[in-house]
Amino acid sequence: MNQKYPSVLLENAVNELSSLPGVGRKTALRLALYMLRRDAGYTEGFAAALVALRRDVKYCKVCHNICDEDICSICADPQRDRSTVCVVENIKEVMAIENTGQFRGVYHVLGGIISPMDGIGPGDLQIDSLVQRVADGEVGEVVLALSTTMEGDTTNFFIYRKLSPYDVKISVIARGVSIGDEIEYADEITLGRSIVNRTSFNDSIKI
Amino acid sequence: MNQKYPSVLLENAVNELSSLPGVGRKTALRLALYMLRRDAGYTEGFAAALVALRRDVKYCKVCHNICDEDICSICADPQRDRSTVCVVENIKEVMAIENTGQFRGVYHVLGGIISPMDGIGPGDLQIDSLVQRVADGEVGEVVLALSTTMEGDTTNFFIYRKLSPYDVKISVIARGVSIGDEIEYADEITLGRSIVNRTSFNDSIKI
């Protein structure tokens, strides 16, 4: 579409906003006009927060989570169980698992998942540093918490192979029927797995 | 939700991004993480474009359209018919009408629409300056192109009353069945109006 903008400044702003994932040119225009309606301090604060994030953000030297210091608050917390390491794709998953309040171990953020289609190989991920953590001997269990997709399974298997020389327990998060789901509507692969991997009723009511 | 963020910088960025209309906290987090994946220059350019827009944008002294100079490119264009003024709510409507390529007159941007529910009265809009343009005598026709809502009708009527002392033709954009619509599915108010305001077939095939 050769949409003409009445102002070059507006066009630049729309170009930048529409470069964000999921933001089209119509939405970008709406956002730019919204900024024009707010006072100037709003846009300045908005821009400063984004620049500060990009410039000053750090990654935890241990688990590669995003943080403001050299070591993230989870790795630095003496209450957390350092011997249990949960392997996740990205920081969104760290936040999601932290929200459950069910995990007291620490994390290892891979920064992605093996995906040949997207050109992401094992070398692009923080797998070597995970192996190093295990080799250092402090880790007793590695919990794989990647997406239950083909890419996730591939990455799980790659990590499993890399860690097999070490004396470490490797587990994977439970896959089964979601809480609140009706059995009738569960897909057959999920339902099949949930029957094969059934757990003791006693264990299941602990939470 | 008391979502905890691993970094204050990230939380600030998410707060700012989610202050945009239509952007929730999950989307804001996704956008912030996207910026972290791009190089630093990207975020700096993004922020600079928004700040520049808010700081340097100008409004046309004649029609109140957004522009980079004192007078917008439409008002400054000697090819445009200054005697026909199209009254619109906002610059988005200017762009939409310009895209049709069917209007060779000039515009008057009200900057909103009379909406007592949102606390917007006639004094908040560029109505006085419209009356002044008409009073100056250069305008032969005012085309009202506001939304076909109750607020639009109210504003149309208010402007109509304000302009009635002057010798100026006041018209309103045609309302009827959209091109490509099936009559069967047109709502009855639209269909009723389109019958009452039927036009000569000869006129209708001019475009």
Side-chain angles (χ1 to χ4, degrees):
Chain A
M1 307 296 279
N2 274 327
Q3 175 78 69
K4 270 195 278 176
Y5 294 87
S7 148
V8 175
L9 293 167
L10 179 66
E11 187 168 3
N12 289 343
V14 169
N15 285 343
E16 292 291 344
L17 284 164
S18 63
S19 72
L20 294 173
V23 177
R25 295 192 75 81
K26 277 213 168 180
T27 303
L29 177 61
R30 194 164 51 82
L31 296 178
L33 295 179
Y34 172 77
M35 291 193 165
L36 288 178
R37 281 201 303 277
R38 299 285 303 258
D39 59 81
Y42 170 76
T43 304
E44 281 160 20
F46 182 92
L50 297 181
V51 169
L53 171 68
R54 186 62 185 78
R55 189 187 53 211
D56 299 330
V57 78
K58 291 181 179 171
Y59 295 90
C60 175
K61 287 195 185 344
V62 179
C63 74
H64 312 291
N65 191 7
I66 283 177
C67 58
D68 297 328
E69 313 293 332
D70 285 344
I71 305 291
C72 79
S73 57
I74 296 171
C75 288
D77 185 348
Q79 306 273 330
R80 308 286 297 223
D81 169 17
R82 276 176 186 63
S83 72
T84 309
V85 175
C86 181
V87 176
V88 293
E89 186 177 336
N90 235 313
I91 79 131
K92 274 190 280 197
E93 286 75 37
V94 173
M95 290 168 64
I97 295 174
E98 283 298 287
N99 273 349
T100 69
Q102 298 289 346
F103 183 66
R104 297 303 301 163
V106 292
Y107 294 91
H108 191 87
V109 180
L110 293 180
I113 202 164
I114 296 174
S115 174
M117 292 279 283
D118 301 317
I120 302 172
D124 301 313
L125 307 177
Q126 297 289 353
I127 293 179
D128 288 345
S129 63
L130 173 66
V131 175
Q132 190 56 51
R133 281 176 84 175
V134 171
D136 289 346
E138 239 196 62
V139 181
E141 180 178 1
V142 168
V143 183
L144 300 170
L146 302 180
S147 298
T148 58
T149 58
M150 205 169 66
E151 287 83 4
D153 287 345
T154 304
T155 313
N156 278 344
F157 191 67
F158 186 87
I159 292 172
Y160 175 77
R161 288 249 305 244
K162 279 277 188 182
L163 294 181
S164 55
Y166 302 95
D167 177 28
V168 63
K169 184 178 166 191
I170 302 175
S171 54
V172 66
I173 53 165
R175 297 155 178 209
V177 181
S178 294
I179 312 295
D181 265 14
E182 293 182 49
I183 300 294
E184 182 182 352
Y185 299 114
D187 71 281
E188 53 198 29
I189 297 176
T190 301
L191 190 56
R193 273 218 197 197
S194 76
I195 289 173
V196 172
N197 298 327
R198 61 192 176 276
T199 52
S200 147
F201 186 73
N202 251 343
D203 289 348
S204 77
I205 54 173
K206 271 187 194 158
I207 289 175
Chain B
M1 307 294 282
N2 273 326
Q3 175 78 69
K4 267 196 279 177
Y5 293 88
S7 148
V8 176
L9 293 167
L10 180 65
E11 186 168 3
N12 288 344
V14 169
N15 286 343
E16 292 292 345
L17 285 163
S18 63
S19 72
L20 295 173
V23 178
R25 295 191 75 79
K26 277 212 167 179
T27 303
L29 177 61
R30 194 165 52 82
L31 296 178
L33 295 179
Y34 173 77
M35 292 193 165
L36 287 178
R37 282 201 301 274
R38 300 284 302 259
D39 59 81
Y42 170 75
T43 303
E44 281 159 22
F46 182 92
L50 298 182
V51 169
L53 171 68
R54 186 61 186 80
R55 188 188 53 214
D56 299 330
V57 79
K58 291 182 180 172
Y59 295 90
C60 176
K61 287 193 181 350
V62 179
C63 74
H64 311 291
N65 192 7
I66 284 176
C67 58
D68 296 327
E69 312 294 332
D70 286 343
I71 305 291
C72 79
S73 57
I74 296 171
C75 288
D77 185 348
Q79 306 273 330
R80 309 287 299 222
D81 169 17
R82 277 174 184 61
S83 72
T84 308
V85 175
C86 181
V87 176
V88 294
E89 186 178 336
N90 234 312
I91 78 131
K92 273 189 282 195
E93 286 76 36
V94 174
M95 290 168 63
I97 295 174
E98 283 298 286
N99 272 349
T100 69
Q102 297 290 346
F103 184 66
R104 297 303 304 164
V106 292
Y107 293 92
H108 191 89
V109 180
L110 293 179
I113 202 165
I114 297 174
S115 174
M117 291 280 283
D118 301 318
I120 302 172
D124 301 313
L125 307 177
Q126 296 289 354
I127 293 179
D128 287 347
S129 62
L130 173 65
V131 174
Q132 189 57 49
R133 281 177 84 173
V134 172
D136 289 347
E138 239 195 63
V139 181
E141 179 178 1
V142 168
V143 183
L144 300 170
L146 302 179
S147 298
T148 58
T149 57
M150 204 169 67
E151 288 82 5
D153 288 344
T154 305
T155 312
N156 279 344
F157 191 67
F158 186 88
I159 292 171
Y160 174 77
R161 286 252 304 246
K162 279 276 187 182
L163 294 182
S164 57
Y166 303 95
D167 176 28
V168 63
K169 184 178 167 194
I170 301 175
S171 54
V172 66
I173 53 165
R175 297 155 178 210
V177 181
S178 295
I179 312 296
D181 266 14
E182 294 183 46
I183 301 294
E184 181 182 353
Y185 300 113
D187 71 281
E188 55 197 28
I189 297 175
T190 300
L191 191 55
R193 273 216 196 198
S194 76
I195 289 174
V196 172
N197 297 326
R198 62 192 175 276
T199 51
S200 146
F201 185 73
N202 250 343
D203 289 349
S204 75
I205 55 173
K206 272 188 197 159
I207 290 176

